[in-house]
């Protein structure tokens, strides 16, 4: 598995837009983010440039417009971040993480049913993961 670039929280907001709407122009990214954040267009352009430098985005110039596409797969990135979080805070122990979550937040019946279904499906598939 390749190591994916480190992406800040702000950069992640840009990536979510690109993942959802790629290929997407600078103006389209900016228009979407100024509606949901307090960031200036200049800040958004800086975040986009950082993501290109980090190798998370690539672009193509179409006449006078830059159009961006992701170089990082969304599911792969989220999976890496989830594993990193689990290892950092819970020593890789998913049971400890879920227990801590339940102690602080609880689970709805619907969430419990979904977890049971996922665990049952995983058991039926011989304990394979969805990676």
């Amino acid at each position: 598995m390749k190591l994916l670039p480190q992406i800040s929280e702000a950069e992640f907001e840009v990536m979510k837009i690109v993942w959802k709407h790629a290929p997407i122009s600078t103006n389209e990214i900016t228009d979407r983010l100024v509606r949901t954040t307090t960031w200036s267009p200049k800040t958004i352009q800086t975040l986009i440039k950082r993501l290109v430098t980090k190798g998370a985005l690539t672009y193509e110039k179409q006449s006078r417009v830059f159009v961006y596409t992701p170089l990082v797969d969304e599911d792969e990135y989220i999976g890496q971040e989830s594993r990193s979080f689990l290892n950092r805070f819970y020593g890789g122990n998913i049971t400890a993480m879920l227990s801590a979550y339940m102690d602080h937040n609880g689970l709805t019946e619907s969430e419990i049913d979904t977890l049971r279904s996922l665990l049952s499906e995983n058991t039926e598939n011989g304990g394979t993961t969805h990676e």
Side-chain angles (χ1 to χ4, degrees):
M1 179 176 76
K2 67 180 179 184
L3 189 61
L4 303 175
Q6 289 291 106
I7 297 174
S8 71
E9 288 294 319
E11 292 164 346
F12 185 68
E13 291 303 313
V14 174
M15 288 302 296
K16 289 193 301 189
I17 298 294
V18 177
W19 280 321
K20 186 172 184 180
H21 302 286
I24 186 170
S25 72
T26 307
N27 288 341
E28 292 171 309
I29 295 169
T30 302
D31 289 345
R32 290 179 184 283
L33 285 170
V34 295
R35 285 188 249 147
T36 60
T37 68
T38 57
W39 302 336
S40 71
K42 183 95 173 133
T43 298
I44 295 166
Q45 289 173 7
T46 298
L47 292 169
I48 293 169
K49 286 177 189 170
R50 283 186 197 160
L51 288 164
V52 169
T53 301
K54 290 180 176 187
L57 291 180
T58 189
Y59 65 91
E60 180 180 293
K61 192 170 183 185
Q62 297 178 356
S63 63
R64 304 178 124 230
V65 178
F66 289 91
V67 177
Y68 295 88
T69 55
L71 290 173
V72 172
D73 179 74
E74 182 178 15
D75 290 339
E76 192 176 355
Y77 180 77
I78 291 171
Q80 174 181 285
E81 288 300 300
S82 297
R83 284 185 299 280
S84 175
F85 176 85
L86 182 63
N87 287 331
R88 180 176 176 198
F89 293 102
Y90 298 98
N93 186 332
I94 189 84
T95 304
M97 184 187 79
L98 186 56
S99 179
Y101 182 86
M102 289 172 42
D103 288 347
H104 297 291
N105 301 69
L107 292 172
T108 66
E109 284 299 319
S110 174
E111 290 169 327
I112 291 169
D113 289 343
T114 300
L115 285 171
R116 279 190 182 117
S117 176
L118 287 169
L119 291 169
S120 175
E121 177 184 314
N122 189 272
T123 302
E124 291 168 6
N125 291 333
T128 58
T129 60
H130 295 276
E131 291 182 43

